[in-house]
Amino acid sequence: MNLEDIKKPENIVYRKTPLLTDAIMHYCPGCSHGTVHKIIAEVIDEMGIQDKTIAISPVGCSVFAYNYIDVDWQEAAHGRAPALATATKRLNPDKYVFTYQGDGDLASIGTAEIIHACSRGENIVVIFINNGIYGMTGGQMAPTTLLGMKTATTPYGRDAKLNGFPMVIAPMIAQLDGTAFITRQAVHTAAAARKAKAAIRKAFEYSMKDIGLSFVEIVATCNSGWKMSPVEANKWMVENMFAKYPLGDIKDVLK
Amino acid sequence: MAFKGAIEVDTQRCKGCSVCVENCPTKSIGLSRSVNNKGYHYAEMIADTCIGCSNCAVVCPDSVITVYRVKIQ
Ligand SMILES: Cc1ncc(C[n+]2csc(CCOP(=O)(O)OP(=O)(O)O)c2C)c(N)n1
């Protein structure tokens, strides 16, 4: 059978979801943000909740996420997405409300907001992109930067004495009674991306059960900031990031 | 049962990151020798061994790959 005979509309098994707009993403080649946007868009499409979803974008590389996923969005001040999501969800309890935040946004300038939103048990979904670095501003150290990891502000590697230890957010907020579902995923392989997608779907479903906040951490790469090729960055992530941030479910109150 | 697949790449949107190449179980994808309007070597089928598993498309950050699949006896 020749290729042109296979390439017919009835044989399509995978195509870009219509929930992603046609805007060309501004992300660097191989950036995890694009893959995560895609699986979120697919979940919203498959659940049929496009007009019931309100998203909050952060400050960071994903500040323009509203150009790519075709739902209603608000843009929060740096780190304040959980506060905005709190108001949005309380005023619109029938809507699916999620924030999308980097580790600089969520774990540094926005630490207070995320912890208190978790503690209050807001019925929102938080997607947390942990790439261990401030991508947008040029690759400075983030709270999640690994010990020894070189960044623009830790040129000799992060040193615990000088820069403190990496902050591991997921197990920290798992101790708060307001959180319902906490998981850590990745999108570097097709199998991982499919699992991450299932986790995001579960988080969206939980956000309608009035049981508290659902938190999906995605261990991600910033190949430009890490100064590696996209493929090397994925390997480096598996070898280094997963040791400190292992994948898997951390809390599920319905299990 | 066996499958035969094919992919179509939106070459102008592809940024040539190679993540699809790494994820292809049958080594059917590679980067092109020529470049697109932005100067990227884009992904393309390099062998007739595609089984239509969609792994390449699932990991593509820019969602530029459409996958086709047929059953063959
Ligand atoms: C109030 C305020 N302080 C600082 C900044 C500068 N700034 C922009 S993005 C960013 C960090 C982004 O890092 P992260 O959240 O990890 O997202 P990434 O870019 O890596 O996706 C900072 C500090 C800002 N825009 N506003």
Side-chain angles (χ1 to χ4, degrees), chain A residues 7 17 26 28 42 56 63 66 68 81 93 168 171 206 229 243 248 250:
Chain A
K7 290 187 188 175
T17 163
H26 69 286
C28 305
E42 288 175 354
I56 319 288
V63 61
Y66 49 73
Y68 309 130
V168 189
Y206 274 31
S229 76
I250 291 160

Side-chain angles (χ1 to χ4, degrees), chain A residues 1 6-8 11-14 16 20 22-23 25 27 29-31 34-35 38 188-190 193-194 230-231, chain B residues 4 6-8 13 15 17-18 22-23 40 48 53-55 57-63 66-70:
Chain A
M1 191 175 240
I6 302 175
K7 290 187 188 175
K8 290 194 176 132
N11 297 332
I12 289 180
V13 288
Y14 190 97
K16 172 170 157 291
L20 281 179
D22 286 331
M25 292 188 181
Y27 301 119
C31 176
T35 318
K38 184 230 311 266
H188 60 305
T189 63
R194 289 186 175 106
V231 171
Chain B
K4 194 159 172 49
I7 60 164
E8 201 152 68
R13 300 170 65 100
K15 296 174 186 161
C17 72
S18 266
E22 282 293 299
N23 266 276
Y40 292 122
D48 195 16
C53 72
S54 302
N55 279 7
V58 170
V59 294
C60 174
D62 292 281
S63 302
T66 303
V67 185
Y68 303 82
R69 176 181 236 191
V70 289

Side-chain angles (χ1 to χ4, degrees), chain A residues 3 48 57 60 93 111 146 148 157 161 163 199 223 243:
Chain A
L3 286 183
S57 67
T111 325
L146 300 176
K161 280 220 161 62
N163 314 112
N223 59 74

Side-chain angles (χ1 to χ4, degrees), chain A residues 33 59-61 78 102-105 109 131 133-137:
Chain A
H33 277 308
V59 170
C61 286
H78 207 358
D103 45 3
D105 191 81
I109 194 168
N131 58 14
I133 207 163
Y134 286 10
M136 186 196 210
T137 43

